[in-house]
Amino acid sequence: MIEIATRLFGPWVRTVGAGTLRADLVAGILGALLVLPQAFAFATLAGLPPQYGLATAIVPCAVAALFGSSWHVVSGPTNANSLALFATLAPLAVVGSPAYIQLALAVTLIVGAMQWLIGALRLGGLANFISPSALRGFTSGAAALIVLHALPDLLGLAVPADHRSSALLSSLAAHLGDASMSALVVALFTVAMTLALRRLVPRIPHMLIALVAATALAAAIGRWWPPGSGAGAAVAMIGGVPSAWPRYQVPAIDLGQLADLVGIAFALTIVALGQSISIAKAVAERSGQRIDANREFRGQGLSNLVGAFLSSYVSCGSLNRSMPNFEAGARTPLAAVFASVWLLLLVALIAPLLGLIPFAAIAGLLLVISWSLFDWRSWERLWRFSRQDFAIAAATFAATVTIRLEIAILLGTILSLLTFLHRTSKPRMRIMGFDSEAPDRPFVVRADVAAPLAECPQLKMIRMEGEVYFGAVAHVEDQLHDLRSSAGAPKHLLVMTKSMNFIDLPAAEMWRHELEARRAAGGDLYFHRPRAPVLELWQKVGFLPEIGTDHIYPAKRVAIASIFTRLDRGICAHCTVRVFEECGSLPGPVPPFVEAAAPTRPHG
């Protein structure tokens, strides 16, 4: 049985014992308390009834923990997924309607299938193409949208039918005079109490306590500051909460909307997997656990596949639950399973009280959550160390706030890839020389030395820094052309390729053209320490036999000693530079560094 369970769930099964069970039970209680207010807030943010947030915090949480890779990641509803679902489905159906709910479940089912397939096909590495800069811009943009969409509840105003940012701002401006002072007081009280408790007693469930206190305050306002007394109108509350037990229902997929749903699901899959793997890696850095991305994706996919049939919407790893789960002493994924059980029991016992929670208090919690998502220090680091990455994050942020979220994350990813391609499309070619002042005359980059270094009139030495592929061929060709076409340019070229780890077929053809051009001009082409993959490709395309293995050198001094024998002695006879040690064997003046060399100094 242990072997079967280990294969099904992972190696953590072997570590389960009385001690781990006690630790996981305690951590599970904290997890249930933390997610309760978040489940309501995120479901509201997603445009769904509160019970769907609870179901999403129960079912996917247990499934992802059991079948995923991380021992500490806790899955469930998240702000980014909720907001993305809301933004993408709102144009297709009335928010909160039965049709909208069916769309949410259908998208969740498709997302789960895509996630599972990515893991099953071992494509987990695709998540690495979502750059941290794009995620930073998306997360901050989502935080800005959270604040924007929380404002109506915070001010006690009706939510407009048009959920675009511009329409929402226009509606708020037009009805600002109708704002409820009581709702604003409850919201600000929630924010202040949450922040105060987080600072003074960070180990307690501060969001839950603040929510309870804000609910009591709203009830007191309703009693002592009754409706009809101007700004003290009653604070809107959640109302009745149905049973917390997840209800089985088959998601209905309208074939006419299938194309739209697949596009939405693809974008949500990218967002969810990007969050999940990032959180898993962040927790693993502290726990020391190794993460299997493919297994993690399969677990996330299975949690959404199962959740779609049990009243859950798109879920993924939650940073607000995963880090506290680890800090609370969770030892195995059973802590997340226990959190689901505790939450189910908690809601079943106090469901009538949950209906008293005011929307203004939830809006206050959303403000606190959104503020933590901005991460100003990350923006500052981007600005200081990489303006390109800052521009990618800023563009993704602007796109997130102004257009559809799935387009924003795709835009950020594309910008990151284009930036990478731009950087790699211009590998550096550094001209090399000797530091004649040092006793052993090491090779140096000529541009890095203040004093000009003499250069052999027959041999140019360069160092390639970066990969040469189809996107970089034109840039490298231009530089090589400039090196050989200028007046008096050396006809021989030695390329130091230790840092050129990869080439493709167009790059191999480029080096062949360079060889032909050099030899046609009476010179030649040589390489120092090309990598094994480069040599393998040259061998396959026939370039290696064409250039000759005697033009490939394992060491720079060996290369110079060999190439020196191929130089034109007529030019050497009139040369006054004589930069090589081998030049000391030629008739005429002896180079100063050869005169200063000790008699026992090795040749070359």
Side-chain angles (χ1 to χ4, degrees), residues 43-83:
T44 303
L45 193 61
L48 294 167
Q51 62 267 29
Y52 286 86
L54 291 174
T56 307
I58 293 172
V59 178
C61 176
V63 175
L66 290 174
F67 294 96
S69 171
S70 175
W71 293 11
H72 300 99
V73 167
V74 181
S75 296
T78 66
N79 51 342
N81 282 341
S82 302
L83 188 58

Side-chain angles (χ1 to χ4, degrees), residues 200-570:
L200 298 176
V201 277
R203 292 187 176 275
I204 68 172
H206 46 274
M207 293 181 69
L208 180 63
I209 294 176
L211 186 63
V212 171
T215 301
L217 176 63
I221 289 176
R223 180 173 182 179
W224 302 107
W225 204 358
S229 57
V235 183
M237 299 179 180
I238 290 177
V241 177
S243 171
W245 188 260
R247 183 170 64 90
Y248 174 79
Q249 54 183 318
V250 178
I253 299 179
D254 185 351
L255 295 180
Q257 294 179 311
L258 184 59
D260 288 335
L261 295 183
V262 169
I264 292 170
F266 177 74
L268 290 174
T269 297
I270 293 176
V271 175
L273 290 185
Q275 291 182 85
S276 295
I277 198 64
S278 299
I279 293 169
K281 289 180 177 180
V283 180
E285 285 182 359
R286 307 187 67 181
S287 66
Q289 183 201 349
R290 292 181 61 86
I291 299 298
D292 181 346
N294 292 308
R295 183 180 181 90
E296 187 67 23
F297 290 167
R298 291 196 301 271
Q300 292 292 331
L302 190 59
S303 71
N304 280 310
L305 282 171
V306 174
F309 291 93
L310 294 172
S311 305
S312 302
Y313 66 96
V314 179
S315 70
C316 71
S318 170
L319 187 61
N320 290 336
R321 298 181 68 190
S322 300
M323 284 299 186
N325 181 54
F326 174 75
E327 294 294 340
R331 304 276 292 278
T332 75
L334 289 179
V337 178
F338 291 149
S340 298
V341 176
W342 282 119
L343 181 61
L344 189 64
L345 295 174
L346 181 64
V347 175
L349 293 175
I350 62 170
L353 297 178
L354 297 179
L356 301 177
I357 297 176
F359 283 111
I362 294 177
L365 292 179
L366 291 176
L367 289 183
V368 176
I369 294 170
S370 64
W371 178 257
S372 64
L373 289 176
F374 274 102
D375 193 359
W376 299 105
R377 290 184 178 179
S378 293
W379 283 98
E380 181 185 0
R381 285 195 297 270
L382 286 176
W383 177 258
R384 289 175 58 192
F385 301 122
S386 176
R387 298 297 172 87
Q388 284 186 327
D389 288 336
F390 181 88
I392 292 171
T396 308
F397 173 85
T400 303
V401 174
T402 57
I403 61 179
R404 289 171 54 168
L405 295 189
E406 72 273 20
I407 303 299
I409 191 66
L410 290 176
L411 174 64
T413 302
I414 291 172
L415 287 175
S416 299
L417 292 176
L418 290 177
T419 301
F420 168 78
L421 291 175
H422 175 72
R423 289 171 178 171
T424 58
S425 67
K426 296 183 178 181
R428 303 181 70 181
M429 296 176 61
R430 313 289 296 275
I431 299 176
M432 303 296 292
F434 300 101
D435 184 357
S436 57
E437 299 297 328
D440 56 348
R441 303 182 66 247
F443 284 81
V444 295
V445 177
R446 296 183 68 207
D448 295 343
V449 180
L453 297 179
E455 186 177 13
C456 174
Q458 297 192 68
L459 176 63
K460 176 77 73 173
M461 298 181 296
I462 64 171
R463 184 174 71 194
M464 288 295 310
E465 296 179 351
E467 280 57 64
V468 184
Y469 64 101
F470 66 93
V473 164
H475 174 75
V476 176
E477 278 184 332
D478 290 342
Q479 290 198 332
L480 290 174
H481 178 269
D482 292 342
L483 288 178
R484 68 172 182 268
S485 62
S486 58
K491 296 180 180 180
H492 295 267
L493 177 65
L494 171 61
V495 185
M496 301 170 190
T497 54
K498 183 174 62 174
S499 300
M500 188 178 71
N501 298 309
F502 166 79
I503 66 169
D504 58 5
L505 188 57
E509 291 299 317
M510 178 203 70
W511 289 120
R512 174 180 277 116
H513 295 156
E514 181 65 18
L515 175 64
E516 294 171 352
R518 290 280 173 182
R519 287 181 173 175
D524 217 330
L525 178 64
Y526 315 90
F527 291 96
H528 163 253
R529 290 184 62 181
R531 297 288 188 179
V534 175
L535 289 173
E536 289 174 6
L537 181 60
W538 280 348
Q539 182 68 44
K540 288 180 181 179
V541 301
F543 176 70
L544 194 57
E546 184 177 349
I547 190 175
T549 55
D550 59 337
H551 285 53
I552 309 296
Y553 300 103
K556 290 189 282 289
R557 290 187 178 274
V558 174
I560 291 174
S562 175
I563 298 171
F564 178 77
T565 63
R566 305 170 189 263
L567 300 181
D568 187 337
R569 289 295 177 265

